[in-house]
Amino acid sequence: MNTVMSGRMEDRNSCESNNTKLIYDRERCVGVDVCGACIEHCTNGAISLGNDGRIVIDQVLITQNLHLAEICPVLALYIRSE
C-alpha cells in the first residue's frame, strides 16, 4: 500500500506491533548495491532483495525486526506509533 506523507510517496510495507509500525520509505532507500545494512542485520528473512535492487519486506515477519529502524543510515526504515 502506498501512502503520501510529507509530500513523498512511501511504501508502507509492515505490520503493526502494539500500534507501532516499521515504515519503509522507498525514495530514501539507496539500495543494497550501496548499503544493504537492513538485509545484513535482519535475522529472520523478513527483508529480501527485490529485482530492482531495493528491499522487499515480509509484512508478517517484519514485526520481529523493529530494531532495523536504528540500523538504516539513510532513514528509509523508521518507526511510527499510531
Side-chain angles (χ1 to χ4, degrees):
M1 165 180 11
N2 290 332
T3 305
V4 175
M5 298 186 61
S6 305
R8 288 192 317 248
M9 183 68 80
E10 297 180 338
D11 286 338
R12 292 184 68 182
N13 277 334
S14 65
C15 285
E16 294 182 33
S17 176
N18 297 326
N19 293 328
T20 300
K21 296 181 181 182
L22 184 68
I23 306 296
Y24 172 50
D25 185 339
R26 184 175 177 82
E27 290 182 14
R28 284 186 178 201
C29 181
V30 295
V32 296
D33 291 341
V34 175
C35 180
C38 57
I39 292 176
E40 181 181 329
H41 289 92
C42 183
T43 58
N44 68 345
I47 298 180
S48 59
L49 177 61
N51 292 335
D52 61 355
R54 305 290 174 134
I55 64 171
V56 176
I57 298 176
D58 181 303
Q59 297 180 16
V60 174
L61 296 176
I62 199 63
T63 58
Q64 300 169 13
N65 287 282
L66 296 178
H67 70 280
L68 294 175
E70 298 174 5
I71 301 297
C72 183
V74 295
L75 305 176
L77 296 173
Y78 60 94
I79 295 175
R80 183 173 63 214
S81 298
E82 294 184 348

